[in-house]
């Protein structure tokens, strides 16, 4: 829906001849700036300002995307409200009149389910199949029983009971709206998306020329991929709600025998039909799981399989696509650098992408962790990172920059793909650790959804900066390859440029990342331990030995590091300035090893807490020591506490040394675990 809105706004607001002239102007200024900077002339980077290249899009055109968005939302709301009545009138459903025994039976089933919504039972007497359907809007639900199901009541009441309970389970699970809103959204989104994609692919080369059609065709292909993605995701949502309804019926009945009897006896002509398509794609497009899949889910005792490669790849692609659309701004993309445009690009896009990423991936990983403990996350993490990478690289601005300035910078693709896959694996692994540590808190709480939302929202607040940096990195590196270091190889530029960009963002990117990565799982573990003491029935497991609180916070290691830094600074041989951060980094690694020498869980997260504590304490103690020595020698002003400048310096040093120290610790832990496995020793697991 959002993509259709932006496409409509772009078509309305842009004069094609003016747009072509604008792109030619921006390309000329880019090439001229790259040539002059290569010659050593200090010229500013081209920014597409209206003075150099007038933007052909009128400001009045910015109103259309907003109006289109409102119109689509209104159409969605009208469809949601009107669809139940339209379905009843079109299909000719009738109330259960003249059947008092059947009415009493379904009323008894409804009373035993705990469903609070107002439910009306209807009959479709002309349908001979054994089927039922729950629909309606919030607060007023309808369940229609087919003629074949009503006839089944007389000869197999156990099967009849299971079918009705399955539809009531949809109402109890609150997934009726999910199913019908998904259907309405696809019917609203799909046809315009496919039309825009086809027109762009066919007309772009003829309108703007083959050389400049790459960006438009790439965006059209991306729209087509998103349309396919929405189709597959909507089908997956509809299949999953059926499996969760089966799980609810099994919970109500106390066993799965009734469901097995229904599937094995009536699946061929009932609501659960066998796979009718050929191939994997046909199976993915199914809105109902096959009988084999439902029986397998009942046998395994879990409604859903663990998150896989393609599931997470779809999530990543959707996140990157949303980031790109929000980056374009409310006008479908503009180069007017106003304050509101800058705020939109720098805050809204990364924050929305981070929130969607953590909510979509976090809920799936959390459910898998609640069912299996620490799930396997390698394939899911790689799929998530690869989905973000491919969708982000297909974004129009990346394609245009890559082709518009001679293709410079495209050699960064392989290292960027590797980094994104590693980042996706790390994120999914971390989400699994968060889920395992917080799950006992959810089980003991009266409002588990509120706690889940708070944990994921807090994580998004701490991670939106790094996520936004990774999503914007391709465009930054392409500009760097064109205007800063045009002769540098792409792979070298990728790592050198990334390091340069991160060096200016230590406290705004790296520090929130390590703080969130450390304290979110550790806080959940601490709360769960306290709840376990109050309620032993939580099943959190026996208490494990942990280091003392001061050691866990890295305080003793920070004091040792400060003392070592004083010795280095006041030693007989003057040391370079970089020796002190190295000393602090080594002390942080020692603090992590000291704090995690026992068998307590979440070793990596607890190590980061110790590293942060040591990294903050060491420079503060060093500043206090230097002040005390200056005071005793009379060579400086006396001050009992470090000043605010020293606090800022301590935060900077902590951000500079914490990441490398944690990576060294993680490498040591991994190598030690590999050696222990090779020698046949047991390896402790990081998880409650």
């Amino acid at each position: 829906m959002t993509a259709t809105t932006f496409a409509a706004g772009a078509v309305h607001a842009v004069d094609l001849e003016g747009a072509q002239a604008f792109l030619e102007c921006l390309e000329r200024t880019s090439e001229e700036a790259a040539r002059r900077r290569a010659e050593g002339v200090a010229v500013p980077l081209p920014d597409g300002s209206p003075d150099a290249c007038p933007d052909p899009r009128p400001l009045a055109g910015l109103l259309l995307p907003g109006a289109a968005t409102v119109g689509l939302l209104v159409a969605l709301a009208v469809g949601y409200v009107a669809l139940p009545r339209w379905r009843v009138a079109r299909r000719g459903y009738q109330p259960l009149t003249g059947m008092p025994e059947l009415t009493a039976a379904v009323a008894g089933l409804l009373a035993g389910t705990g469903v609070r919504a107002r439910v009306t039972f209807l009959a479709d007497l002309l349908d001979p199949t054994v089927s039922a359907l729950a629909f309606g809007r919030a607060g007023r639900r309808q369940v229609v029983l087919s003629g074949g199901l009503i006839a089944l009541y007389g000869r197999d009441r156990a099967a009849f009971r299971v079918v009705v309970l399955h539809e009531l389970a949809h109402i109890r699970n609150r997934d009726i709206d999910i199913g019908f809103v998904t259907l309405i959204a696809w019917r609203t989104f799909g046809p315009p998306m496919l039309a825009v994609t086809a027109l762009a692919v066919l007309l772009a080369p003829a309108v703007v020329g083959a050389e400049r059609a790459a960006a438009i065709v790439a965006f059209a292909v991306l729209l087509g991929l998103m349309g396919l993605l929405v189709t597959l995701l909507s089908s997956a949502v509809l299949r999953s709600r059926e499996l969760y309804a089966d799980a609810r019926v099994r919970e109500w009945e106390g066993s799965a025998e009734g469901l097995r009897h229904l599937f094995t006896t009536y699946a061929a002509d009932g609501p659960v039909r066998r796979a009718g398509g050929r191939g994997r794609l046909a199976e993915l497009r199914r809105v109902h799981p096959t009988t084999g899949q439902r029986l397998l889910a009942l046998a395994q005792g879990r409604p859903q399989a663990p998150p896989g490669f393609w599931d997470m790849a779809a999530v990543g692609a959707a996140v990157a696509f949303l980031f790109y659309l929000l980056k374009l701004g409310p006008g479908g993309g503009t180069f007017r650098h106003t304050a509101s445009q800058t705020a939109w690009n720098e805050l809204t896009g990364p924050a929305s992408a981070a929130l969607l990423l953590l909510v979509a991936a976090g809920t799936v990983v959390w459910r898998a962790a609640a069912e299996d403990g620490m799930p396997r996350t390698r394939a899911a993490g790689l799929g998530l990172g690869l989905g973000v990478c491919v969708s982000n690289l297909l974004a129009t601005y990346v394609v245009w920059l890559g082709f518009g300035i001679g293709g410079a910078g495209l050699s960064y693709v392989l290292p960027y793909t590797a980094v994104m896959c590693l980042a996706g694996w790390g994120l999914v692994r971390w989400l699994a650790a968060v889920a395992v540590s917080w799950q006992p808190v959810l089980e003991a709480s009266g409002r588990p959804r509120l706690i889940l939302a708070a944990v994921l929202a807090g994580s998004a607040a701490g991670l939106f900066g790094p996520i936004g940096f990774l999503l914007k990195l391709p465009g930054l590196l392409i500009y760097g390859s064109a205007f800063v270091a045009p002769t540098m190889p792409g792979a070298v530029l990728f790592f050198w440029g990334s390091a340069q960009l991160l060096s200016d963002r230590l406290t705004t990117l790296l520090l929130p990342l390590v703080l969130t990565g450390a304290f979110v799982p550790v806080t959940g573990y601490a709360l769960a331990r306290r709840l376990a003491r109050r309620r032993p029935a939580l099943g959190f497991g026996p208490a494990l030995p942990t280091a003392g609180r001061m050691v866990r916070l890295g305080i003793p290691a920070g004091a040792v590091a400060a003392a070592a830094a004083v010795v280095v600074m006041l030693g007989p041989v003057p040391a370079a300035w970089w020796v002190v951060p190295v000393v602090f980094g080594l002390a942080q690694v020692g603090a992590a090893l000291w704090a995690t020498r026992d068998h307590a869980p979440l070793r990596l997260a607890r190590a980061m807490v110790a590293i942060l504590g040591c990294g903050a304490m060491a420079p503060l103690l060093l500043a206090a020591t230097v002040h005390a020595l200056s005071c005793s020698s009379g060579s400086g002003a006396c001050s009992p506490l470090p000043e605010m400048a020293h606090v800022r310096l301590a935060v900077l040093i902590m951000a500079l040394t914490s990441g490398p120290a944690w990576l060294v610790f993680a490498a040591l832990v991994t190598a030690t675990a590999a050696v222990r496995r090779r020698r046949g020793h047991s390896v402790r697991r990081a998880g409650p």
Side-chain angles (χ1 to χ4, degrees), residues 65 107 136 169 204 249 275 298 346 356 362 366 402 417 549 553 611-612 631 659 676:
V249 174
L298 292 175
E346 296 299 327
L356 175 61
W366 200 306
T417 302
R549 181 172 300 176
L553 294 177
I611 287 172
L612 292 172
C631 182
R676 291 174 63 88

Side-chain angles (χ1 to χ4, degrees), residues 38 203 221 227 261 376 432 455 479 541 558 588 685:
L203 300 180
V221 171
H261 168 68
R376 295 183 178 181
V455 172
Y479 264 112
Q588 287 175 299
R685 296 184 178 274

Side-chain angles (χ1 to χ4, degrees), residues 363-375 432 435-436 439 442-443:
T363 50
V364 174
V365 174
W366 200 306
R367 184 174 294 277
E371 295 174 350
D372 295 337
M374 184 68 74
V436 171
Q439 182 60 28
L442 264 68
E443 294 175 356

Side-chain angles (χ1 to χ4, degrees), residues 469 473 476-477 480-481 484-485 488-505:
F469 173 79
L473 187 58
L476 297 175
L477 292 177
S481 67
V484 179
M488 185 176 293
V492 177
L493 174 68
F494 177 84
F495 294 104
W496 177 81
S498 301
Q500 292 293 320
L501 293 170
L502 283 175
S503 64
D504 297 333
R505 299 169 172 83

